[in-house]
Amino acid sequence: RWRGRPALNVCVADTEDPICIGDPTSYVITVTNQGQEADKNVVVVARFPPQIQPLAVTGDVKGTVSGQTVTFAPVDNFGPRQTLKYRIDAKGVSSGDARVSVEVSSDSIKTPI
């Protein structure tokens, strides 16, 4: 018997780049299950460098800002061909080459994307 698998795809885009100190930007994160089976416990975590301060979050599930880390609540049933969207509003606080790191993990992913 053939059985499908979940297959998650992650896209991260910023609305303004580069930014100056004090300027706002937003990070839009899109996660799509391109597979044929549902996935469980899908969690998105974004880590910000000291040069960028996360301010607010919106999206398909609740998110929280704790210092330089943004964590979104787990999605328990992420169906095939389903898409989740998240948005993090932030601002520049100091100069430098700053890059935001986004990780997606789930029950089917042993090493986070």
Side-chain angles (χ1 to χ4, degrees), residues 12 27 29 43-55 57 64-72 88 90 97-105 112-113:
V12 181
Y27 296 87
I29 304 164
V43 177
V44 174
V45 177
R47 291 180 178 80
F48 284 76
Q51 297 91 344
I52 303 172
Q53 179 184 10
L55 301 172
V57 297
T64 57
V65 177
S66 178
Q68 294 298 103
T69 302
V70 174
T71 305
F72 290 93
I88 304 169
D97 185 9
R99 299 171 195 269
V100 176
S101 169
V102 175
E103 287 185 358
V104 177
S105 61
I113 300 171

Side-chain angles (χ1 to χ4, degrees), residues 31-48:
V31 182
T32 303
N33 182 354
Q34 297 177 324
Q36 296 86 16
E37 290 288 322
D39 206 347
K40 295 181 185 336
N41 197 31
V42 177
V43 177
V44 174
V45 177
R47 291 180 178 80
F48 284 76

Side-chain angles (χ1 to χ4, degrees), residues 11 13-14 16 36 38 66 75 79 81 90 93 98 101 105 110 112-113:
C11 179
D14 50 0
E16 298 294 328
Q36 296 86 16
S66 178
V75 176
R81 308 294 181 214
V93 293
S101 169
S105 61
K110 304 301 180 209
I113 300 171

